[in-house]
Amino acid sequence: MSAINFNAAEVAPQQSFKVLPAGVYSVVATESEVKPTKNNTGQVAQFTMQVVEGEHTGRKIFARFNIANQNPEAERIGQSQFSAFCHAAGVLQVSDTAQLHGRPVRAKVKIRKDDQYGDSNEVRGYSAVSGASAPAAAPMFAPQQP
C-alpha cells in the first residue's frame, strides 16, 4: 500500500474519449517531436493539434508523418503528407518542428474504424486558412494512397 492524500470530489473526472465527427477543422499545432520508428530504422514527426474554431474548440487530434523510412513508398507518402502540412502552414523550409506551432491550418479529418482498439481520428489532408500567412494557392492536399 502507498499513502496518498487525494480528494476526487475536488477534481472533475476525465471524460470518456469520443472521436471528432468527420469534417474540416481549423487547427494549430501545439506540440511536436521527432522520434525513431518502432524498429529504429527511420524517423517519425508527431504533432498534437488543437481545434481552434467551432463547437469542438479545444479538442485535440494527432498527426504522424513518416519522415525517413526504409520502405521507400512509406517514406514518399509520409514526406508528401508532411509537405502538405508545411505548405498549408506557410513554412516551406523546416529545421525545427516548433516552426509549425501556432500556425492555423485546415485539417480534413476522418474517422478510422477499428474494432480492436476503438475508432480514432485520422487527418487526410491540409489546406491554408483564408487570411493566414500560408501561400494563397495552397489547395486541400490529400495524401496518395499506397
Side-chain angles (χ1 to χ4, degrees):
M1 248 189 335
S2 296
I4 189 169
N5 184 14
F6 178 77
N7 183 350
E10 295 175 352
V11 179
Q14 179 180 13
Q15 300 298 311
S16 63
F17 174 78
K18 292 181 184 174
V19 295
L20 286 172
V24 178
Y25 296 91
S26 291
V27 300
V28 295
T30 57
E31 300 174 36
S32 60
E33 68 177 317
V34 176
K35 56 193 248 179
T37 56
K38 287 183 182 181
N39 62 6
N40 287 319
T41 61
Q43 285 187 317
V44 175
Q46 294 186 163
F47 286 82
T48 300
M49 298 181 188
Q50 189 167 25
V51 176
V52 294
E53 288 181 356
E55 74 176 281
H56 299 289
T57 297
R59 291 286 307 274
K60 294 181 181 182
I61 57 174
F62 305 93
R64 292 173 47 96
F65 304 100
N66 255 319
I67 302 302
N69 195 291
Q70 67 184 20
N71 178 325
E73 185 64 7
E75 182 174 284
R76 183 193 65 75
I77 292 168
Q79 288 183 1
S80 69
Q81 291 170 334
F82 189 57
S83 177
F85 176 48
C86 292
H87 274 85
V91 180
L92 303 184
Q93 189 68 38
V94 181
S95 58
D96 188 318
T97 57
Q99 290 172 260
L100 297 161
H101 293 190
R103 294 180 164 269
V105 300
R106 308 262 309 150
K108 184 177 181 181
V109 175
K110 75 170 216 164
I111 297 173
R112 190 172 99 212
K113 298 287 185 187
D114 189 321
D115 293 332
Q116 182 177 1
Y117 297 106
D119 297 348
S120 63
N121 288 123
E122 184 176 307
V123 180
R124 301 302 294 168
Y126 300 91
S127 64
V129 172
S130 297
S133 61
M140 176 65 77
F141 288 95
Q144 293 180 356
Q145 297 299 314

